[in-house]
Amino acid sequence: MTNAYNIYRILEERSDRVVLSREEQLLYEEHFLHHGVTPRQFKIIYEKSAVRKVRRGEIIIRANAPLDYVYLVVGGKTEASILGRHLTYASSLPGNCVRQKGGDR
């Protein structure tokens, strides 16, 4: 019975039409669609989000620091390192949901 209820909820969620603005649609397609997030789930996330612009070189999070937020870098690029070792490189250029770079330089 639980599975039938879950299937009903999934079908109900997918049948409801969600209207996204052009900006929302672009963000959804680039960063969420390929991870199985439905438009309705994206809309809930988007409505709870806030834009934060950061300066080049600004530290967003520090190792071992508690996190109060989830960050999505929409423009620009990020770097992460521990003890001087380069860990990751990500860019939000269009198409990078498929092409991602990582590891030591």
Side-chain angles (χ1 to χ4, degrees), residues 31-51:
H31 301 286
F32 294 87
L33 174 65
H34 303 288
H35 299 286
V37 176
T38 66
R40 176 159 311 289
Q41 292 167 333
F42 168 77
K43 191 73 169 180
I44 291 167
I45 294 168
Y46 187 83
E47 288 172 352
K48 293 180 185 235
S49 68
V51 174

Side-chain angles (χ1 to χ4, degrees), residues 12 15 25-26 31-32 40 44 47 51-52 62 64 77 80-81 83 89 91 93 103 105:
E12 184 180 75
S15 68
Q25 185 68 35
L26 291 172
H31 301 286
F32 294 87
R40 176 159 311 289
I44 291 167
E47 288 172 352
V51 174
R52 177 178 171 211
R62 294 187 182 277
N64 302 318
K77 60 183 180 179
S81 61
L83 301 174
Y89 172 86
S91 158
L93 296 174
R105 289 187 210 184

Side-chain angles (χ1 to χ4, degrees), residues 59-68 80-83 87:
I59 296 173
I60 299 173
I61 59 173
R62 294 187 182 277
N64 302 318
L67 294 176
D68 296 324
S81 61
I82 294 178
L83 301 174
L87 300 176

